[in-house]
Structures are given as C-alpha cells and as structure tokens.
Amino acid sequence: MRLKLYLIAIIGFSYGTIMAQYSPAPADTISGENSYYFNQEVPIKSGKELTFIGWFFTQGVTSNYFPRNEFFQGQVIGRMFGRSTARTSDTLRTGFVEQRFLPFFLYTPKLMDGKVTLRASFEIDWTWGDASYGSGGNQGAGFNGDFVNIQTQNVELEIVPAHGWAINFGLLRAFDSPYHPYRTSVKQLTETGFRLMYWAGDAAGINVRKDFSRGNISAGIYNLWENRIELEDDVWLGKVMGMYKLVPQLSIGGSVYHINDKSNGQGGASILGQGPKSLLTDYTGAYRFSFPDTDYETNVTWLGAFFDYNREYAYNRHKLSGFFNYNVGDIQGETARVTKISGFGANLKYGFRHGNTEDDEVIVDWIYTTGDDNGITDGEYNGVITGNTWGAPGNLPIAVGPNILFPSGNVVNRYMPLISDISNLGAGLNAVNFQVKKAIVPHKFIGTANVAYAMSNASLPRGGTEIGTELNIGVIWKIKTLMEVEVRGARVALGDFYDAPKANGDEFVDADDRLNARPVDPWLLYIAFKWLMF
C-alpha cells in the first residue's frame, strides 16, 4: 500500500509544536495594567511588538528497527510492528541524522494596547541527504537542497477582553492540560491534567478561558473535519475544563470532553481516513472497530478528574500527581447500535527530590487503562479511546520516561514506539516506570536512568500479556542557557504479547513476509543537540 506520508506530516506532526517548547516556553506578555500572567517562564522585552522564538534540534541515531516498505523511508508515525511496516532486525542497523527547525512569530501591536496577539508557528524537518529539487513535507536536505518544505502548525489570534480573560481562535492547540498552552512550558503540560495522553493535537476552533488567583476554567469547541458544508457529516470536539487550588501546594481539577463524529471515516491522514473503523488506528496503536455499516455516527464523552501536589517541590521534597478519565459512548449504525463504549484510564506519579537541584530526582510513574478481550463481539468495547483515533498522532505520552516502550520527545521523522496509544490496541495497559536523575555537576552534567515494565490487561489472539521491559541510560550536558546535548541508549526485552500476529505485525503483511514468531528485541542509541532561541 502506497502511503502519501507528506500528507500525514501536515496533519500529524503537531508533535513538533510541543517540542518547540521543550524548555520553558516563550512568554508573550500582556503589558500594562492588564498584565496578569505573572507566572510566565521566560519573560520577553516589555512593549516589544514582534517576537521571534526558534527551536533547533539535530540528532544522530542508530538502531535495529526501521520501516521495511521503501515508501515509508521519509516519515513514519505510529506503533512499531503496526501497518507502517516498522520492524526490528537482527542483522541490519540504521544510521542517519535528522534535523528540525521550528520558527514561532508573535505579534502584539501597541495599537491594540497589548490586548491582541497573533501567533504563527511552522515546522521544517528533514533527514540529512534525503532529497533535493522538489517539494513536500519532511524532506529537503539532499545535495543543494532547493526543496519546498514548510508546514503550518498554528495560526491563531488571542484577544484579552478583560482582566484574566483570553479568547483564542484559529488553528490552535487542543491540549488536555488546564494550563494555557501558549504560556506554559512543555514540562508543565506533560505533568498536569491528563498529561497529553488523551488529546495533544492542533485543531481549528475557539477556546475561551478565565484565569483567576486560585485556578482557571476554559471551554472550547473544535472542528476536526469539515466535509460537505451543506451536510451534517463533520467531526466536532467540545470541552470544558477547570482547575482550583485548594491550598498553595494542592490543586484539583476536572473536565468533560465530547466528540460527535458523523464523517463515516472520511478525512484524516491521506487515504487512511479517521475515526473508530479507519486504517489510521492500525498506525497509531488505537483500537480499530470492525463492523459492516458504512453509514454510522460515533459519540464519546470523557469524564475526568486530576490533581497535583507540590509539583515544583516548593514546599518539601515530595510531589504527587494523578488522573482518572472515564470514556463512555456508543456507535450507532444504519439501523441499530453497533456497540457501546465504556472504559477508563488512570495514572499516579510520585517524585522525590534527593538533592539540591531540579535534576536530583527519583520518579515512579504508573499508568493503567482497561482492556477488552473480545472487542465488540459482545456489543460493548471496554477499553480506552484517545485522540489517536482521529489524528496521527492525536495524543503524546512522551513524558513517561522510556524511549522505545513509550514514545520519546526526541524524534523528527521517525515516531515508532511500542506503545503509541495508551489503549494499547484495545488490550489495555498496566505499566510502571522508575527513573533516577542525578546532577553530576550541578546545572551542567546530568545522568539519568530508567527502568520500565508494561503488560496488557487483555490478551490478543495467540499472544500473552507481557509487553516488555526497557532499560535506558543517558547523560545530558547543558552547554548554555536553553542549549544542551543529550546522549542516550535504550533496549527493550519483548514479552509474549508480541507472539500475537496483530501485535508483531504478521497481520499486516503477506504470508511470505510473516515472522510467525516473536520479533527481535529493539534497541536505540542517539546523540541530540537542542537549542531554544529567543
């Protein structure tokens, strides 16, 4: 199957937007008496109308996994061993360098008293030596370059009608954290709310929020797919989210999300479509619903609650956060209901600061999602649904700690984790990560190590429940402010979950290419340079 990956890039790599704020995010401050965002992480010059921020990322990688299909050598998004043909090898090794540049432009005209800000962000990605004299996404570093490669992430307007209020509309970030997505560091976004594990994409819509001294509340509606403008055949996502500080060190919050999908699978990435029965789910690692109806409507509601205690270690050496998110809904077919939907996800994360810097830390992170042994054969799906059913990717569990078992933030063109969606193909998840960080030289050299284990809560045909165990170690050298080099290696010992043809990729290839056995264990080694400039 010939996949037009450059179309996936335009839709899917909202991921780059997040990496643009890997370090503390740029602050587009509201000046004057209406300056209420005092918690911004990187201040900018007062009264400045036009601000530029850039994220530059380059890494060299070697590993034993890669896409087997020659048409997927440019960009790959989705689960390892999925339909993208990403497979491991015991004889072949990769060796490549990839690069990303993300320019951000913020315009706050003095004429509007600083109450209106236009934001635009773009993305330029490539692999060294890949192509020249052409056009498309995620290429352009061949000899002489001369390649048209620029992707639009966000173009949105923010209006501040009154103190504490913000109205954002356009193509903007639809993240599942209660904090302002343009005034918050990525670290904070991945540690609060639902940690980008349910929704972390870019969407056209409008969001209204109110920030006050002890919390915030926001509401938004997003059009994920607009088909024929005269018909009700679109995909709409709505949300209401709020957070409140009970005491300075403890915050609680909750949210309601709802999606109405009348698209019948149209839209989405290239020819894959989107929605519960689309081929997209075979790439992203979400559960694929299989039913004969061609005319159907999907409704899913997510009811969630979350908390975080002492997130920045401001009061003592312990921190704790977590969430619970219950999804309920159904799919209505042409004449009857296809299936009910009912499942939940939960998370607890504990941290202990054992030293004097932010890099002296021990973390235990547990993730649980319900699974379903028999799919929708009994008329009910008892697993989790996330934004990965509608986008590639639509959620980003990048802050767990592993680099292969779960996705890492250090990627450009090859996003190929074992678990790219917390539903885990509908089989559910029970995973824990143990991480140790130590400042060898405070604020300069940091050593890190992770041990992670994951199993499913349901088994796939001919497979078990043990997904695997990852060990990874790394060293970070902070060269200058917001500039660093990271070296890391990782390996996963695969479990019997990958004996199943659906898990190990046999289901997606011809009989002659099937492994009929557990794949070779994946490993990875990279060196990465990162610089946030402003």
Side-chain angles (χ1 to χ4, degrees):
M1 180 182 63
R2 189 167 183 170
L3 173 65
K4 297 179 181 178
L5 283 170
Y6 58 87
L7 291 179
I8 290 185
I10 296 173
I11 297 171
F13 250 68
S14 59
Y15 171 77
T17 304
I18 292 177
M19 286 311 298
Q21 292 188 340
Y22 177 86
S23 294
D28 31 315
T29 310
I30 305 299
S31 59
E33 64 181 8
N34 288 315
S35 180
Y36 54 88
Y37 286 110
F38 296 111
N39 61 342
Q40 296 187 114
E41 314 238 354
V42 180
I44 63 173
K45 185 178 179 180
S46 176
K48 191 174 183 180
E49 287 193 330
L50 182 63
T51 302
F52 165 77
I53 295 101
W55 169 256
F56 185 89
F57 177 80
T58 301
Q59 71 170 352
V61 182
T62 182
S63 72
N64 71 330
Y65 56 91
F66 49 88
R68 297 299 180 94
N69 190 315
E70 63 181 271
F71 297 114
F72 296 147
Q73 294 300 323
Q75 185 195 30
V76 185
I77 297 174
R79 184 184 73 89
M80 194 186 305
F81 308 121
R83 195 178 286 272
S84 69
T85 75
R87 305 288 186 268
T88 55
S89 172
D90 56 357
T91 57
L92 299 175
R93 305 289 183 267
T94 68
F96 61 92
V97 178
E98 56 184 8
Q99 185 172 313
R100 162 168 293 162
F101 178 60
L102 296 158
F104 285 70
F105 301 93
L106 302 92
Y107 178 58
T108 307
K110 295 180 181 178
L111 182 64
M112 299 296 180
D113 261 351
K115 296 179 180 180
V116 179
T117 298
L118 173 69
R119 299 183 183 91
S121 59
F122 306 95
E123 180 178 334
I124 304 170
D125 301 332
W126 54 56
T127 300
W128 285 11
D130 57 6
S132 58
Y133 304 106
S135 63
N138 299 82
Q139 297 182 92
F143 185 50
N144 289 330
D146 294 332
F147 206 92
V148 179
N149 168 16
I150 186 167
Q151 301 161 56
T152 305
Q153 290 185 342
N154 288 178
V155 178
E156 63 93 26
L157 197 67
E158 179 174 289
I159 298 175
V160 180
H163 176 73
W165 289 88
I167 302 172
N168 297 76
F169 59 94
L171 179 59
L172 45 83
R173 298 171 183 169
F175 292 172
D176 61 17
S177 168
Y179 290 93
H180 196 305
Y182 294 102
R183 303 179 184 276
T184 309
S185 70
V186 114
K187 184 175 185 294
Q188 186 168 331
L189 292 172
T190 57
E191 291 186 351
T192 57
F194 305 103
R195 300 180 58 191
L196 309 186
M197 293 186 184
Y198 280 84
W199 293 99
D202 301 315
I206 183 169
N207 188 85
V208 180
R209 67 180 294 118
K210 167 65 174 174
D211 290 89
F212 46 91
S213 61
R214 300 191 69 167
N216 59 66
I217 186 168
S218 63
I221 185 167
Y222 311 93
N223 191 348
L224 305 191
W225 166 250
E226 175 70 45
N227 194 18
R228 294 181 59 180
I229 58 174
E230 76 278 15
L231 300 178
E232 292 185 8
D233 55 356
D234 312 323
V235 183
W236 288 91
L237 174 68
K239 67 113 179 193
V240 177
M241 176 176 281
M243 182 195 71
Y244 184 76
K245 287 188 177 182
L246 293 174
V247 292
Q249 63 267 44
L250 177 62
S251 298
I252 62 171
S255 69
V256 178
Y257 278 73
H258 180 80
I259 196 166
N260 174 254
D261 180 355
K262 297 181 179 179
S263 68
N264 293 322
Q266 298 180 74
S270 187
I271 62 173
L272 301 178
Q274 50 82 43
K277 64 178 296 186
S278 67
L279 292 176
L280 176 71
T281 56
D282 288 336
Y283 286 81
T284 61
Y287 174 71
R288 184 180 178 192
F289 292 75
S290 180
F291 53 90
D293 299 68
T294 57
D295 186 8
Y296 57 94
E297 179 178 346
T298 305
N299 283 280
V300 182
T301 300
W302 291 264
L303 305 171
F306 52 86
F307 77 94
D308 66 79
Y309 167 77
N310 195 33
R311 181 171 47 82
E312 299 292 342
Y313 296 111
Y315 299 92
N316 54 58
R317 291 182 176 270
H318 305 272
K319 71 177 181 181
L320 184 67
S321 62
F323 68 73
F324 179 88
N325 205 333
Y326 175 65
N327 52 251
V328 60
D330 63 13
I331 300 175
Q332 294 288 338
E334 297 165 2
T335 59
R337 183 167 64 187
V338 174
T339 183
K340 294 195 298 183
I341 297 170
S342 177
F344 71 85
N347 169 240
L348 277 177
K349 181 177 181 180
Y350 167 76
F352 173 71
R353 175 167 287 179
H354 60 81
N356 296 322
T357 76
E358 63 179 4
D359 300 309
D360 297 312
E361 192 174 24
V362 175
I363 293 174
V364 180
D365 197 353
W366 172 72
I367 302 171
Y368 183 93
T369 61
T370 54
D372 197 314
D373 282 298
N374 54 16
I376 64 171
T377 57
D378 59 352
E380 182 172 5
Y381 168 63
N382 297 119
V384 165
I385 294 182
T386 74
N388 274 337
T389 299
W390 290 272
N395 76 355
L396 290 165
I398 60 173
V400 181
N403 286 75
I404 304 175
L405 194 62
F406 284 88
S408 164
N410 292 327
V411 297
V412 175
N413 284 340
R414 293 162 180 86
Y415 181 80
M416 300 179 290
L418 291 166
I419 303 167
S420 58
D421 187 89
I422 58 174
S423 72
N424 188 37
L425 304 173
L429 191 62
N430 198 347
V432 63
N433 178 65
F434 179 76
Q435 181 183 59
V436 178
K437 296 170 63 180
K438 172 63 179 177
I440 303 169
V441 177
H443 313 294
K444 183 62 67 173
F445 290 100
I446 297 94
T448 70
N450 289 267
V451 178
Y453 174 81
M455 60 179 292
S456 64
N457 289 313
S459 60
L460 301 175
R462 294 167 53 187
T465 60
E466 185 179 13
I467 297 172
T469 303
E470 173 173 336
L471 172 64
N472 77 58
I473 56 174
V475 177
I476 299 170
W477 173 28
K478 295 185 178 182
I479 306 172
K480 294 286 185 180
T481 302
L482 305 181
M483 179 187 290
E484 65 183 44
V485 172
E486 179 179 355
V487 179
R488 187 170 297 276
R491 186 183 184 94
V492 175
L494 297 177
D496 56 9
F497 182 79
Y498 292 97
D499 293 341
K502 184 175 181 63
N504 66 28
D506 278 358
E507 181 180 274
F508 307 115
V509 298
D510 296 332
D512 294 339
D513 296 324
R514 290 175 184 166
L515 296 172
N516 296 313
R518 193 178 309 174
V520 177
D521 294 344
W523 59 264
L524 168 73
L525 178 65
Y526 69 80
I527 179 170
F529 174 86
K530 314 168 193 179
W531 181 29
L532 179 66
M533 60 193 81
F534 61 95

